Amino acid sequence: MYYNYKYRLDPPEALTETLLYHVDTCRQLYNHVLSLLNESDDIPARYEVQGQLPDLKTWWDDLGDVHSKVLQMVIKRVYDNLSTLKAQKENGHAVGMLKWKPPREYRSLTYNQSGFKLKNTSGRPVLWLSKIGEIPIHLHRDIPESATIKQVAVKQEPSGEWYATFGIDMDKETPEKPGNPEKVVGIDVGILKYAHDTDGYAIESPDFSEERERLERAQRDLSRKEHGSGNWEKQRRVVAERHVELKRKRRDFFHKLSNHYVREYDLVAVEDLDAKGLVELPGNSRNRAGAAWGTFLRMLEYKCEREGTYLVAVDPRGTTKECASCGVSTEKPLWVREHSCPACGFEADRDANAAWNILSRGLEEVGVVHSESAPVETALPVDTPVSAKHVVETGSPTLKERTASAVSE
C-alpha cells in the first residue's frame, strides 16, 4: 500500500535561499514547457519533452543546478494538470487553458526514486537532497523498516514553514476484511452534533470560535495594510499562520475520531455525501464548509483500507425521513430534532434514527444479516453526549481506556 508521511523541515537561512532558488527554477521550467505545448499543434508525448532537457541545459544554465529527476517531475506536473483539465471537460465542466504559474502559486519540488536520503548527522536526523544539501528534519514518527521511500516532495507553505512529504510503499499486505463482520456501526454526520452513531454516542462538533475570531481579526488588519508593502507581507504571514492553526486542530479531531471507528469496528457505514455540492447550497454554507465532511470521510476511507475494515457509503436520500423501525417516511423540517413515527410509535433523536437507517442500508449492501441492524424498541435509550474536547484529549469518544497506538498518527 502507498502512504504519505509528512514531516516539518527546519532549513537554515542559506539552505532556505537555495530551496527557493530551486523552486523558482522549476516554476520557470513549468511555464516554459506550458508555452511550448500551447504553441504546438499536436501535444507530444511526455517522455519526448523530457528528452529535450539536455538540450535546454546547454543554453539554460540554471537547469544544471537542479537535480535531473526534479526537472522530469516538473514536466510530469504539466502533463498531469493537462490530464485533469481534460477529465473535467469530459465531465461537462466549462474549462479554459492552463495559465503560467506566478511565484505565489508554485511552492514545491519533487524528488522521485533518487536524489534524496534520510541520514543521522551528529545525533540528529537530516534529509539530504541532491544539489541542495542536508536539511534538519523533525521525525515525529518513525518510518516503518519494511517501507520503501519512493519519492519526496518539499514544499513551502504560505506561512513560510517548509515540509517534506515522503511517498511510502509498504511491503506488507492489506489485512483481510472479516467474512461476517460482528462489530458494526452506522454514522450520521451533521453540524450541531458532528457524528451520531448507532452505539448511542453523539459527538459534539469542535468549537473553533476563538480560532476563527483570531483569523478574522488578522484578516481585518491585513486589509488595512498597503498591498505589497513590508507590513502587508508580515501580516499576510500572520493570516496564513491563523489558517494553519485552524486546519491543524480540525484535522487532529478528524484523525482521532476516524481512528476510533476504524479500529473498534469491523464495518463502518456512512452516507455517500457530495460534500462540495452541499457547501455550494445557499444558507449556512460556512458551517457546512467548516464541518469538512469530505475530509473526514476520506480519512475513514484510507484507514479502513489499511486496517481491513469495511467502509460502506450508502445513498443518503431519505435516511432522516424514513423510520428505522418500520420504514415509513415522515416529512420533518430541519428544526425538528426528534423522530416520532406516526405508524409504529417509534421515537428517537433525529440523527440517531438516520444512523440506524445508514447502518441498515450498509449491511444490506454488503449482504450481511445482523440481528441488531434496526431497533425494535419504541424508543432508543438516551444518547451519550461526548464533547469534541474529550475526543481530542483521549483519541476516542468512548470512556474506556485506549492504548497509545489508537491515538492519532
Side-chain angles (χ1 to χ4, degrees):
M1 294 185 67
Y2 195 85
Y3 300 104
N4 287 331
Y5 280 42
K6 189 175 181 179
Y7 299 97
R8 172 79 183 274
L9 296 177
D10 189 20
E13 187 175 349
L15 282 180
T16 299
E17 293 298 322
T18 305
L19 282 168
L20 290 173
Y21 167 71
H22 279 238
V23 170
D24 194 62
T25 303
C26 291
R27 178 188 67 85
Q28 294 177 46
L29 176 62
Y30 178 97
N31 292 336
H32 178 75
V33 173
L34 183 59
S35 65
L36 291 178
L37 296 181
N38 288 336
E39 293 172 0
S40 61
D41 297 329
D42 297 321
I43 297 180
R46 173 164 65 93
Y47 295 104
E48 184 180 333
V49 178
Q50 287 180 183
Q52 299 176 13
L53 285 173
D55 295 333
L56 286 176
K57 290 181 181 180
T58 58
W59 59 268
W60 193 342
D61 294 338
D62 291 347
L63 295 185
D65 298 332
V66 182
H67 191 262
S68 58
K69 282 289 185 179
V70 175
L71 299 178
Q72 292 175 15
M73 293 302 291
V74 172
I75 297 175
K76 182 179 183 298
R77 183 170 177 174
V78 177
Y79 276 79
D80 287 346
N81 289 345
L82 287 173
S83 298
T84 302
L85 208 64
K86 181 181 178 181
Q88 290 180 344
K89 187 176 181 179
E90 291 174 351
N91 289 333
H93 295 281
V95 298
M97 298 176 62
L98 291 181
K99 298 180 180 179
W100 282 25
K101 295 284 188 182
R104 68 178 180 276
E105 294 181 10
Y106 200 105
R107 296 176 171 271
S108 64
L109 51 84
T110 303
Y111 284 80
N112 181 258
Q113 297 179 341
S114 63
F116 58 87
K117 189 176 182 180
L118 274 175
K119 295 182 176 181
N120 196 303
T121 304
S122 302
R124 65 171 186 176
V126 295
L127 172 63
W128 173 81
L129 298 176
S130 177
K131 300 196 174 184
I132 292 179
E134 296 182 348
I135 308 173
I137 183 172
H138 298 276
L139 286 175
H140 61 278
R141 60 172 173 173
D142 294 332
I143 295 176
E145 293 182 1
S146 60
T148 304
I149 304 176
K150 294 294 187 178
Q151 70 176 28
V152 177
V154 179
K155 180 180 180 181
Q156 184 188 37
E157 298 290 348
S159 60
E161 298 173 332
W162 288 90
Y163 288 90
T165 302
F166 292 82
I168 306 294
D169 187 17
M170 301 290 287
D171 296 335
K172 67 177 183 179
E173 294 183 1
T174 305
E176 259 190 59
K177 296 179 180 178
N180 185 28
E182 296 182 0
K183 299 184 69 177
V184 297
V185 68
I187 306 172
D188 178 62
V189 294
I191 294 176
L192 296 177
K193 295 288 188 294
Y194 191 82
H196 208 128
D197 64 37
T198 50
D199 275 357
Y201 288 99
I203 294 93
E204 296 178 358
S205 294
D207 181 13
F208 297 130
S209 56
E210 292 184 6
E211 288 78 5
R212 284 202 182 100
E213 186 179 341
R214 285 197 290 270
L215 171 61
E216 291 170 358
R217 192 183 307 123
Q219 288 173 328
R220 286 195 297 269
D221 291 342
L222 178 64
S223 66
R224 299 188 184 103
K225 310 294 183 185
E226 182 181 352
H227 190 279
S229 65
N231 287 335
W232 181 88
E233 177 59 26
K234 288 180 183 178
Q235 189 61 32
R236 184 201 63 77
R237 290 215 170 188
V238 172
V239 172
E241 289 168 1
R242 296 290 178 265
H243 275 292
V244 170
E245 178 186 21
L246 184 58
K247 179 180 178 181
R248 283 175 180 165
K249 290 188 176 182
R250 182 182 289 122
R251 290 181 66 87
D252 180 56
F253 172 74
F254 291 163
H255 273 298
K256 289 173 179 175
L257 185 60
S258 58
N259 270 343
H260 162 73
Y261 283 119
V262 168
R263 299 190 180 190
E264 287 294 326
Y265 297 95
D266 300 325
L267 181 146
V268 180
V270 295
E271 292 177 304
D272 186 13
L273 295 176
D274 178 15
K276 183 180 178 182
L278 291 172
V279 171
E280 293 173 353
L281 292 175
N284 208 21
S285 59
R286 173 177 175 177
N287 285 333
R288 286 195 292 267
W293 297 316
T295 302
F296 174 66
L297 295 178
R298 283 192 295 273
M299 287 185 181
L300 273 178
E301 182 179 4
Y302 84 79
K303 290 179 182 180
C304 282
E305 182 69 22
R306 181 186 65 193
E307 300 294 333
T309 302
Y310 283 102
L311 178 68
V312 188
V314 303
D315 187 353
R317 287 178 294 183
T319 54
T320 301
K321 299 176 183 178
E322 187 177 305
C323 177
S325 181
C326 67
V328 173
S329 292
T330 306
E331 293 288 339
K332 46 175 120 28
L334 189 60
W335 58 84
V336 176
R337 305 311 303 172
E338 297 295 327
H339 169 78
S340 180
C341 181
C344 68
F346 174 67
E347 295 181 354
D349 182 90
R350 174 194 183 108
D351 297 331
N353 176 73
W356 277 105
N357 283 325
I358 293 167
L359 176 58
S360 179
R361 293 182 185 185
L363 292 173
E364 183 180 351
E365 188 169 322
V366 176
V368 175
V369 178
H370 202 272
S371 60
E372 297 180 2
S373 60
V376 294
E377 301 87 351
T378 57
L380 285 177
V382 177
D383 294 306
T384 304
V386 180
S387 68
K389 182 180 179 182
H390 177 82
V391 175
V392 171
E393 290 178 349
T394 65
S396 167
T398 59
L399 301 179
K400 60 186 174 182
E401 293 183 359
R402 306 283 296 167
T403 60
S405 63
V407 179
S408 170
E409 298 177 2

PDB file of all heavy atoms in Angstrom, residues 202-213:
ATOM      1  N   ALA A 202     -23.154  10.590  20.718  1.00  0.00           N
ATOM      2  CA  ALA A 202     -23.374  11.817  19.957  1.00  0.00           C
ATOM      3  C   ALA A 202     -22.189  12.735  20.189  1.00  0.00           C
ATOM      4  O   ALA A 202     -22.079  13.375  21.243  1.00  0.00           O
ATOM      5  CB  ALA A 202     -24.674  12.495  20.401  1.00  0.00           C
ATOM      6  N   ILE A 203     -21.292  12.780  19.218  1.00  0.00           N
ATOM      7  CA  ILE A 203     -20.048  13.552  19.363  1.00  0.00           C
ATOM      8  C   ILE A 203     -20.298  14.984  18.932  1.00  0.00           C
ATOM      9  O   ILE A 203     -20.710  15.243  17.796  1.00  0.00           O
ATOM     10  CB  ILE A 203     -18.902  12.925  18.546  1.00  0.00           C
ATOM     11  CG1 ILE A 203     -18.532  11.553  19.103  1.00  0.00           C
ATOM     12  CG2 ILE A 203     -17.671  13.819  18.588  1.00  0.00           C
ATOM     13  CD1 ILE A 203     -19.243  10.420  18.451  1.00  0.00           C
ATOM     14  N   GLU A 204     -20.063  15.905  19.828  1.00  0.00           N
ATOM     15  CA  GLU A 204     -20.290  17.324  19.538  1.00  0.00           C
ATOM     16  C   GLU A 204     -19.289  17.832  18.508  1.00  0.00           C
ATOM     17  O   GLU A 204     -18.165  17.337  18.405  1.00  0.00           O
ATOM     18  CB  GLU A 204     -20.179  18.148  20.815  1.00  0.00           C
ATOM     19  CG  GLU A 204     -21.239  17.819  21.858  1.00  0.00           C
ATOM     20  CD  GLU A 204     -21.052  18.631  23.122  1.00  0.00           C
ATOM     21  OE1 GLU A 204     -20.068  19.420  23.189  1.00  0.00           O
ATOM     22  OE2 GLU A 204     -21.871  18.488  24.044  1.00  0.00           O
ATOM     23  N   SER A 205     -19.693  18.835  17.767  1.00  0.00           N
ATOM     24  CA  SER A 205     -18.769  19.481  16.825  1.00  0.00           C
ATOM     25  C   SER A 205     -17.730  20.277  17.598  1.00  0.00           C
ATOM     26  O   SER A 205     -18.051  20.905  18.616  1.00  0.00           O
ATOM     27  CB  SER A 205     -19.538  20.412  15.883  1.00  0.00           C
ATOM     28  OG  SER A 205     -20.399  19.681  15.041  1.00  0.00           O
ATOM     29  N   PRO A 206     -16.484  20.255  17.160  1.00  0.00           N
ATOM     30  CA  PRO A 206     -15.450  21.030  17.856  1.00  0.00           C
ATOM     31  C   PRO A 206     -15.733  22.526  17.770  1.00  0.00           C
ATOM     32  O   PRO A 206     -16.231  23.016  16.761  1.00  0.00           O
ATOM     33  CB  PRO A 206     -14.160  20.658  17.122  1.00  0.00           C
ATOM     34  CG  PRO A 206     -14.599  20.125  15.802  1.00  0.00           C
ATOM     35  CD  PRO A 206     -15.947  19.515  15.999  1.00  0.00           C
ATOM     36  N   ASP A 207     -15.428  23.218  18.834  1.00  0.00           N
ATOM     37  CA  ASP A 207     -15.670  24.666  18.899  1.00  0.00           C
ATOM     38  C   ASP A 207     -14.384  25.399  18.499  1.00  0.00           C
ATOM     39  O   ASP A 207     -13.418  25.430  19.256  1.00  0.00           O
ATOM     40  CB  ASP A 207     -16.098  25.058  20.310  1.00  0.00           C
ATOM     41  CG  ASP A 207     -16.389  26.544  20.431  1.00  0.00           C
ATOM     42  OD1 ASP A 207     -16.502  27.220  19.379  1.00  0.00           O
ATOM     43  OD2 ASP A 207     -16.501  27.046  21.566  1.00  0.00           O
ATOM     44  N   PHE A 208     -14.403  25.973  17.309  1.00  0.00           N
ATOM     45  CA  PHE A 208     -13.249  26.731  16.825  1.00  0.00           C
ATOM     46  C   PHE A 208     -13.563  28.224  16.755  1.00  0.00           C
ATOM     47  O   PHE A 208     -12.977  28.941  15.942  1.00  0.00           O
ATOM     48  CB  PHE A 208     -12.834  26.233  15.435  1.00  0.00           C
ATOM     49  CG  PHE A 208     -12.366  24.805  15.410  1.00  0.00           C
ATOM     50  CD1 PHE A 208     -12.869  23.902  14.483  1.00  0.00           C
ATOM     51  CD2 PHE A 208     -11.422  24.359  16.322  1.00  0.00           C
ATOM     52  CE1 PHE A 208     -12.438  22.588  14.460  1.00  0.00           C
ATOM     53  CE2 PHE A 208     -10.988  23.037  16.310  1.00  0.00           C
ATOM     54  CZ  PHE A 208     -11.501  22.155  15.381  1.00  0.00           C
ATOM     55  N   SER A 209     -14.470  28.683  17.591  1.00  0.00           N
ATOM     56  CA  SER A 209     -14.878  30.088  17.534  1.00  0.00           C
ATOM     57  C   SER A 209     -13.713  31.024  17.853  1.00  0.00           C
ATOM     58  O   SER A 209     -13.559  32.076  17.217  1.00  0.00           O
ATOM     59  CB  SER A 209     -16.045  30.342  18.495  1.00  0.00           C
ATOM     60  OG  SER A 209     -15.703  29.941  19.818  1.00  0.00           O
ATOM     61  N   GLU A 210     -12.874  30.654  18.831  1.00  0.00           N
ATOM     62  CA  GLU A 210     -11.733  31.510  19.177  1.00  0.00           C
ATOM     63  C   GLU A 210     -10.735  31.565  18.024  1.00  0.00           C
ATOM     64  O   GLU A 210     -10.200  32.642  17.709  1.00  0.00           O
ATOM     65  CB  GLU A 210     -11.059  31.001  20.444  1.00  0.00           C
ATOM     66  CG  GLU A 210     -11.904  31.146  21.705  1.00  0.00           C
ATOM     67  CD  GLU A 210     -11.150  30.710  22.944  1.00  0.00           C
ATOM     68  OE1 GLU A 210      -9.940  30.408  22.817  1.00  0.00           O
ATOM     69  OE2 GLU A 210     -11.751  30.684  24.027  1.00  0.00           O
ATOM     70  N   GLU A 211     -10.478  30.421  17.397  1.00  0.00           N
ATOM     71  CA  GLU A 211      -9.540  30.389  16.273  1.00  0.00           C
ATOM     72  C   GLU A 211     -10.078  31.205  15.101  1.00  0.00           C
ATOM     73  O   GLU A 211      -9.325  31.928  14.435  1.00  0.00           O
ATOM     74  CB  GLU A 211      -9.291  28.946  15.834  1.00  0.00           C
ATOM     75  CG  GLU A 211      -8.446  28.117  16.788  1.00  0.00           C
ATOM     76  CD  GLU A 211      -9.233  27.627  17.993  1.00  0.00           C
ATOM     77  OE1 GLU A 211     -10.471  27.860  18.031  1.00  0.00           O
ATOM     78  OE2 GLU A 211      -8.626  27.013  18.881  1.00  0.00           O
ATOM     79  N   ARG A 212     -11.379  31.095  14.848  1.00  0.00           N
ATOM     80  CA  ARG A 212     -11.980  31.867  13.759  1.00  0.00           C
ATOM     81  C   ARG A 212     -11.921  33.365  14.052  1.00  0.00           C
ATOM     82  O   ARG A 212     -11.690  34.173  13.152  1.00  0.00           O
ATOM     83  CB  ARG A 212     -13.436  31.439  13.558  1.00  0.00           C
ATOM     84  CG  ARG A 212     -13.596  30.108  12.832  1.00  0.00           C
ATOM     85  CD  ARG A 212     -14.980  30.017  12.209  1.00  0.00           C
ATOM     86  NE  ARG A 212     -15.190  28.740  11.552  1.00  0.00           N
ATOM     87  CZ  ARG A 212     -15.868  27.726  12.077  1.00  0.00           C
ATOM     88  NH1 ARG A 212     -16.383  27.854  13.284  1.00  0.00           N
ATOM     89  NH2 ARG A 212     -16.037  26.599  11.412  1.00  0.00           N
ATOM     90  N   GLU A 213     -12.139  33.724  15.315  1.00  0.00           N
ATOM     91  CA  GLU A 213     -12.094  35.143  15.682  1.00  0.00           C
ATOM     92  C   GLU A 213     -10.697  35.715  15.478  1.00  0.00           C
ATOM     93  O   GLU A 213     -10.536  36.827  14.970  1.00  0.00           O
ATOM     94  CB  GLU A 213     -12.531  35.300  17.145  1.00  0.00           C
ATOM     95  CG  GLU A 213     -12.656  36.753  17.587  1.00  0.00           C
ATOM     96  CD  GLU A 213     -13.116  36.875  19.028  1.00  0.00           C
ATOM     97  OE1 GLU A 213     -13.668  35.894  19.560  1.00  0.00           O
ATOM     98  OE2 GLU A 213     -12.912  37.955  19.615  1.00  0.00           O
TER      99      GLU A 213
END
